[in-house]
């Protein structure tokens, strides 16, 4: 699950989940897509491939 910061207090009645403004949560991606006005998604760190020595 992606990590996101809640920007406004919200409670989802279907799941009963309560999110508080300013807190970071692991939020299901479907919830982020459905309600982008409530969450600010954290920046994803760029993955770097580890440099390895070639086997000859």
């Amino acid at each position: 699950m992606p990590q996101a910061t809640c920007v406004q207090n919200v409670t989802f009645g279907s799941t009963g989940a309560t999110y508080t403004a300013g807190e970071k949560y692991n939020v299901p991606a479907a919830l982020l897509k459905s309600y982008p006005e409530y969450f600010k998604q954290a920046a994803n760190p760029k993955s770097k491939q580890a440099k390895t020595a070639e086997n000859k």
Side-chain angles (χ1 to χ4, degrees), residues 15-48:
T15 61
T18 301
Y19 298 96
T20 306
E23 297 291 323
K24 291 184 180 181
Y25 298 96
N26 289 325
V27 182
L31 195 63
L32 285 176
K33 289 180 183 179
S34 298
Y35 302 101
E37 64 272 13
Y38 296 120
F39 299 100
K40 178 180 177 184
Q41 192 165 0
N44 292 336
K46 293 182 181 180
S47 59
K48 295 181 180 179

